[in-house]
Amino acid sequence: MSTLLPELEKRRARRALSDKPISPEVVDRILKAATLAPSCFNNQPWRFLVVKDPDKLDLVKKHLSTNNRWATVSPLIILVATKASLDCQLEGGRDYALFDTGMAVMALQAQAVREGLYVHPIAGFKAIELRKAMGIPDDYILITLVILGYPGSDTLLNDKQKELERSERERKPLNEVVCYDSWQFAS
Ligand SMILES: Cc1cc2nc3c(=O)[nH]c(=O)nc-3n(C[C@H](O)[C@H](O)[C@H](O)COP(=O)(O)O)c2cc1C
């Protein structure tokens, strides 16, 4: 039996969604989970624009890249934005806004898995146009859309995506991404 957290093991970037609505209580819990993430100086730089109104949802979906057509089934999409000035900016290139926002999105994903949802962050969308269309100020980075939905049908998936839906998870072995006591990575 695995000793890893079940929500982490179970989470996959699934695409075969249903359009079944997600209750406000569930949405509240996943957002609450997101906000429990740590952040530099407790700055909490994450901003979540939850889109569920059908017209607004259509507008968001118009900005998806073509290979994200599967996401058009989703009943609720969370736009995640931040900007550097909302968080610590320290020497050595350490702007923490994106890092802390990423941690919040991971917590959100773990709770969403717990709620029986598929939860899938994407980068494939027209970020600048969508930011404008949704009235998000120019100085924000619209870093990801989190696509949510209960498990459903794979009819909108292309062949490759159908295959991925059934595939084992792929990860680099630990020794490619971890070293101990001295830096041993090639570059
Ligand atoms: C920042 C980010 C952007 C991603 N963008 C897309 C995307 O545009 N379309 C898509 O189908 N999957 C997208 N994914 C999902 C990844 O392809 C997926 O997480 C990765 O292949 C690992 O698979 P797993 O999450 O099932 O373990 C994205 C994931 C992340 C974290």
Side-chain angles (χ1 to χ4, degrees):
M1 200 179 78
S2 169
T3 52
L4 295 178
L5 293 177
E7 288 77 11
L8 299 185
E9 282 223 292
K10 203 171 158 205
R11 187 213 59 79
R12 293 296 309 272
R14 304 275 186 212
R15 299 177 176 87
L17 307 179
S18 109
D19 61 1
K20 180 182 157 185
I22 304 169
S23 77
E25 294 75 24
V26 169
V27 177
D28 276 358
R29 279 198 296 271
I30 67 172
L31 291 166
K32 176 83 182 164
T35 65
L36 295 187
S39 60
C40 189
F41 268 87
N42 201 16
N43 279 319
Q44 304 168 61
W46 41 77
R47 300 291 181 266
F48 302 110
L49 173 52
V50 181
V51 181
K52 59 191 176 83
D53 169 82
D55 292 336
K56 292 278 173 60
L57 211 41
D58 279 350
L59 179 63
V60 172
K61 289 172 182 176
K62 283 199 180 83
H63 292 81
L64 295 172
S65 56
T66 43
N67 66 345
N68 282 329
R69 200 168 147 252
W70 56 269
T72 58
V73 181
S74 170
L76 188 139
I77 297 178
I78 302 177
L79 280 56
V80 182
T82 188
K83 57 180 173 179
S85 61
L86 291 178
D87 209 339
C88 304
Q89 297 180 270
L90 305 180
E91 48 83 31
R94 291 176 295 145
D95 282 6
Y96 281 98
L98 290 173
F99 178 83
D100 291 347
T101 300
M103 288 201 286
V105 172
M106 190 63 233
L108 181 156
Q109 289 178 90
Q111 185 67 32
V113 170
R114 181 63 167 246
E115 305 285 354
L117 287 159
Y118 285 170
V119 53
H120 190 147
I122 61 163
F125 61 95
K126 291 183 188 127
I128 295 169
E129 281 179 32
L130 179 58
R131 183 177 66 191
K132 202 177 162 63
M134 294 302 293
I136 301 170
D138 288 356
D139 57 343
Y140 275 81
I141 302 166
L142 180 51
I143 187 66
T144 192
L145 308 185
V146 179
I147 311 296
L148 286 145
Y150 289 99
S153 132
D154 68 359
T155 45
L156 281 188
L157 278 60
N158 61 36
D159 289 346
K160 173 77 185 153
Q161 290 169 338
K162 282 182 186 160
E163 196 184 310
L164 280 172
E165 207 72 356
R166 296 186 295 268
S167 69
E168 289 297 311
R169 202 190 315 251
E170 279 182 30
R171 287 296 185 267
K172 292 175 181 166
L174 272 191
N175 64 10
E176 272 188 41
V177 295
V178 180
C179 61
Y180 291 90
D181 300 327
S182 64
W183 186 263
Q184 285 154 15
F185 301 112
S187 55

